Amino acid sequence: MTKQLLMGNEAMAVAALEAGVRVVAGYPGTPSSEIIETIARRRAEGLAHGVHVEWSSNEKVALEVLAGASAAGARCLFTCKQMGLNVAADPLMCLNYVGVKGGMVLVVADDPGPISSQTEQDTRRFASFAKVPVLDPANPEQAYAMVRAAFELSERYGTPVIVRPTTRVDHASAFFEAPAETFAREPIDGGFVRDAKRWVIFPKRSYEAHGQINRRLALIADEFSGAAEPSGAKAAEVEAGAVESAEAARFACFNPVETRGENPCLGILAGGTSAANAREALRIIASRAQRAGLNVPSYRFMQVGTPYPFPAEAVGRFTEGLECILVLEELDHVLEDELLRLCGRQHGSYDVLGKLTGSARDRGENDVDDFVSRLTGFLGLGVSGERAEDPAADLGIELPLRPPVLCPGCPHRGAFYAVKRALKKVPAVQCGDIGCYTLGNAQPLDALDICLCMGAGVTMAQGFAVVEPDRKAIAYIGDSTFFASGLPGLANAAYNGHDITVVVLDNATTAMTGSQPHPGTGATLMGEQRTPLSIEEELRANGFSCIERADPLDLEAATEAAKRAIAHPGPSAVLYVSPCIQLVKPDEPVVIDAQSCTGCKKCITEIGCPGIAFDARAEGPRSGKRGQALIDPDLCNGCGLCVSVCPYDSISAGR
């Protein structure tokens, strides 16, 4: 064992390997991507033995691969971000009814903020909906411990188990004792054993399984509360039986209770990273109170690390003698709802404050500063109030806006610009998709009118084509998303004859989440290079007869290709092929001729490349005192798109 500084995602990967995981699958999505990448790296380095790891074509496929592996007795790990669990919902709901054999752990990373997501979906809600236990770590150390414990919980009860880190847990770092090598466990009981009554999901089997699910959740809730031996009636109703006291203590430790002072009447209930933030806020408040000569009133603090099934008995013990409880959590009011239900069942006399009462943020990330303000008021040490949305506002500082932009030299910029040129005055609606290219909606490109979720650009365009046939429906989709969720929409377009033009942006990687491979690259995490799947052949196989192909950085060719596809009646496609700038060595920066530059700013206002700036003080024979464009050589990668855009030939390729 060696001490290593590991990111939360890396720590969870190591925990799964230590637990003997044999099959790992998922789909890349920030903030979860590094988990699978860490396992793949350790396997490639010869440190993780016997493990199979893959990026699957999407989350549904990944979970179904693992369902088969688990039925064969292997310990399995699934990873995605919160949106990905929607894609995997169908197999997850059914898998819980069928049950698992080898431990099945789903690490689903939530993204409060959201920082890199479409929504602030709360996986704790999804776990309750699916009736799957969920663990909620406050820091990387807890994430590591929870992943290891989740495999054992999964096998003991035959259920999938979700571990729900959030962005700050995923990307925070801590020191861990990591093993030099890990070895996958052998499949349980020799592998898959045929049993149609268990593995085939017929209505009768589902009805029986639903009862088993409900009974095992009651047992798990007892275990989360620290009950070493559930009641005989409960234990007799499920196959799992009683729980060893050591195992019960293992999960109860994720729900610790701390008391300050004697006979507290105030309580603080927190989950996930909010628990860590609340502890830090309470430390700050205690320090400030000491300096001011004030006494901090007695209070009781509880972290709920196992939000579903809710550890009602443990929380019930926490509430004894309390008059008011403040609930702190990110995203939905999950713990608050459970506490209110518990209060009703127990005829409790305490008040519950939280998101529903306006006593906590109703969205976004929680932070220590906000908690200091709220907890100071809750403890009666000062005036409670929400911190300003802009932390610099109190200082009288106006922070500049820094909207996200496409990278300098990004081929997507050329694709959007070419399609806009091809459309000219043709009425159109442009449907976007999820990825770097969602930034095509920003000025000055202004190329997207609507964007919903992965793969929906292709299918939404078909809806527009039906209702507004006089407007050309354009759909953009990236190469990774094409394989993940685009193919069914393509088949539907051809089958129903929808008049749409699909613009495929092929930059040879999954760029937004860290440049992961996909079926179109042929590269696999097992180190084997497969024959890349051809997007053009997939389009043709799905009924597209008009397929144009061009380099999006060749503006004239890209524009003409788009014109031909747009003019085609029925389904058509433009395939723009140019690698992501992260994959290629940059060329020399372009050069602006100060003698011929007129200061018209077209190179800036047309494509908005961050590598082009404007010097209002520059003068030249044609620009006069209007200023001139200039190139930032540290940003420009020499793509040459601006060379084609300049109407005065003032920009040329570098040496």
Side-chain angles (χ1 to χ4, degrees):
M1 303 284 282
T2 58
K3 182 167 283 191
Q4 299 179 29
L5 181 65
L6 300 177
M7 183 192 298
N9 280 340
E10 294 174 317
M12 286 184 281
V14 171
L17 290 170
E18 284 189 82
V21 69
R22 179 166 288 272
V23 187
V24 182
Y27 186 78
T30 305
S32 70
S33 302
E34 294 87 358
I35 301 172
I36 280 186
E37 291 173 343
T38 299
I39 292 174
R41 183 177 67 252
R42 288 181 67 90
R43 181 197 168 278
E45 292 171 350
L47 304 178
H49 301 279
V51 64
H52 171 89
V53 56
E54 68 174 53
W55 285 126
S56 302
S57 55
N58 68 22
E59 294 88 349
K60 178 179 187 293
V61 170
L63 189 53
E64 289 165 351
V65 167
L66 297 176
S70 173
R75 283 193 165 183
C76 299
L77 178 70
F78 168 89
T79 76
C80 70
K81 66 188 297 178
Q82 84 279 17
M83 307 296 296
L85 195 57
N86 300 335
V87 181
D90 193 15
L92 176 61
M93 301 297 288
C94 297
L95 181 61
N96 197 27
Y97 276 70
V98 171
V100 302
K101 184 175 180 180
M104 171 76 80
V105 176
L106 292 75
V107 177
V108 183
D110 280 4
D111 187 23
I115 297 171
S116 58
S117 307
Q118 304 99 287
T119 72
E120 287 194 301
Q121 178 176 316
D122 193 324
T123 295
R124 295 175 301 167
R125 290 284 193 207
F126 203 112
S128 175
F129 170 59
K131 296 192 173 185
V132 172
V134 61
L135 309 178
D136 192 15
N139 51 45
E141 293 92 339
Q142 281 192 353
Y144 169 86
M146 286 180 175
V147 167
R148 293 197 64 177
F151 279 103
E152 296 167 15
L153 185 72
S154 174
E155 287 178 357
R156 190 158 63 248
Y157 290 98
T159 177
V161 176
I162 294 173
V163 178
R164 177 243 188 193
T166 54
T167 305
R168 300 304 171 185
V169 173
D170 289 307
H171 293 162
S173 296
F175 282 99
F176 293 87
E177 292 286 347
E181 294 181 89
T182 56
F183 298 85
R185 288 195 178 191
E186 291 300 316
I188 296 173
D189 298 332
F192 180 68
V193 179
R194 294 187 66 193
D195 183 352
K197 291 183 179 179
R198 175 178 181 182
W199 298 115
V200 181
I201 189 165
F202 278 118
K204 184 176 184 295
R205 164 65 179 139
S206 298
Y207 178 79
E208 294 171 349
H210 197 175
Q212 293 172 357
I213 290 170
N214 292 336
R215 291 189 289 273
R216 76 183 176 219
L217 286 173
L219 273 177
I220 294 171
D222 280 348
E223 186 169 346
F224 286 171
S225 290
E229 294 184 1
S231 66
K234 286 182 180 177
E237 288 181 327
V238 295
E239 299 173 354
V243 178
E244 295 292 334
S245 59
E247 291 301 334
R250 182 172 193 176
F251 285 96
C253 75
F254 296 139
N255 300 313
V257 177
E258 307 156 25
T259 301
R260 177 190 173 96
E262 297 180 357
N263 303 317
C265 61
L266 299 176
I268 302 160
L269 191 75
T273 55
S274 294
N277 288 337
R279 286 191 179 99
E280 176 64 13
L282 290 167
R283 186 195 65 77
I284 293 172
I285 290 171
S287 176
R288 290 179 179 176
Q290 184 179 27
R291 291 197 300 270
L294 300 174
N295 291 320
V296 176
S298 298
Y299 64 83
R300 192 178 298 148
F301 178 91
M302 182 176 185
Q303 175 193 351
V304 178
T306 62
Y308 184 82
F310 190 64
E313 290 187 21
V315 177
R317 294 192 294 270
F318 160 78
T319 65
E320 292 175 1
L322 299 181
E323 298 175 3
C324 188
I325 301 173
L326 175 63
V327 183
L328 300 173
E329 55 189 323
E330 282 182 329
L331 302 180
D332 280 357
H333 39 86
V334 174
L335 299 181
E336 189 176 355
D337 285 351
E338 292 291 350
L339 184 58
L340 286 168
R341 274 193 282 268
L342 180 64
C343 182
R345 286 200 302 271
Q346 295 181 329
H347 304 288
S349 59
Y350 51 86
D351 291 327
V352 177
L353 306 179
K355 294 176 182 289
L356 295 175
T357 62
S359 304
R361 283 181 176 169
D362 65 345
R363 61 193 182 280
E365 283 192 295
N366 290 328
D367 57 62
V368 174
D369 290 342
D370 181 69
F371 280 1
V372 167
S373 172
R374 295 181 190 279
L375 288 169
T376 297
F378 177 69
L379 296 171
L381 295 172
V383 180
S384 177
E386 253 195 273
R387 202 188 77 183
E389 286 294 326
D390 182 356
D394 295 336
L395 303 176
I397 300 172
E398 185 175 350
L399 296 177
L401 294 176
R402 294 185 176 90
V405 294
L406 293 170
C407 297
C410 176
H412 298 338
R413 182 177 285 105
F416 287 124
Y417 189 60
V419 172
K420 285 188 68 176
R421 288 185 71 201
L423 285 169
K424 288 186 178 178
K425 296 183 179 180
V426 174
V429 58
Q430 301 188 74
C431 303
D433 215 301
I434 305 304
C436 298
Y437 45 95
T438 309
L439 296 173
N441 76 314
Q443 297 290 347
L445 291 172
D446 191 24
L448 299 183
D449 300 310
I450 191 168
C451 181
L452 183 62
C453 61
M454 283 187 66
V458 172
T459 36
M460 290 180 70
Q462 297 170 45
F464 279 111
V466 170
V467 178
E468 298 182 344
D470 293 334
R471 299 176 70 182
K472 186 66 183 184
I474 309 292
Y476 296 92
I477 189 168
D479 48 336
S480 182
T481 305
F482 179 90
F483 291 106
S485 53
L487 296 175
L490 298 175
N492 192 72
Y495 174 55
N496 289 291
H498 291 299
D499 183 16
I500 66 169
T501 295
V502 177
V503 180
V504 184
L505 307 173
D506 183 1
N507 64 356
T509 189
T510 313
M512 187 178 186
T513 55
S515 299
Q516 293 84 7
H518 58 71
T521 69
T524 69
L525 292 183
M526 294 297 288
E528 298 167 334
Q529 179 66 42
R530 305 290 184 186
T531 301
L533 298 186
S534 167
I535 291 177
E536 186 170 348
E537 290 178 8
E538 294 282 354
L539 285 164
R540 210 170 298 283
N542 275 282
F544 280 65
S545 58
C546 175
I547 304 169
E548 300 292 338
R549 184 185 180 103
D551 179 346
L553 297 176
D554 183 344
L555 186 56
E556 292 306 316
T559 302
E560 291 304 313
K563 285 180 179 179
R564 292 191 294 270
I566 290 168
H568 179 82
S572 63
V574 185
L575 179 54
Y576 285 132
V577 182
S578 184
C580 174
I581 66 165
Q582 300 295 328
L583 304 181
V584 294
K585 184 179 179 180
D587 288 333
E588 290 292 323
V590 298
V591 177
I592 294 182
D593 178 17
Q595 299 300 307
S596 59
C597 177
T598 66
C600 70
K601 298 184 181 179
K602 187 171 184 180
C603 55
I604 296 173
T605 59
E606 291 288 299
I607 59 175
C609 178
I612 310 174
F614 192 79
D615 184 355
R617 296 169 299 178
E619 297 184 16
R622 301 189 65 185
S623 61
K625 295 184 178 181
R626 287 192 298 271
Q628 292 187 338
L630 60 88
I631 299 297
D632 184 337
D634 293 327
L635 293 179
C636 178
N637 77 336
C639 76
L641 182 63
C642 58
V643 175
S644 303
V645 171
C646 178
Y648 301 104
D649 297 326
S650 299
I651 308 178
S652 59
R655 292 183 297 276

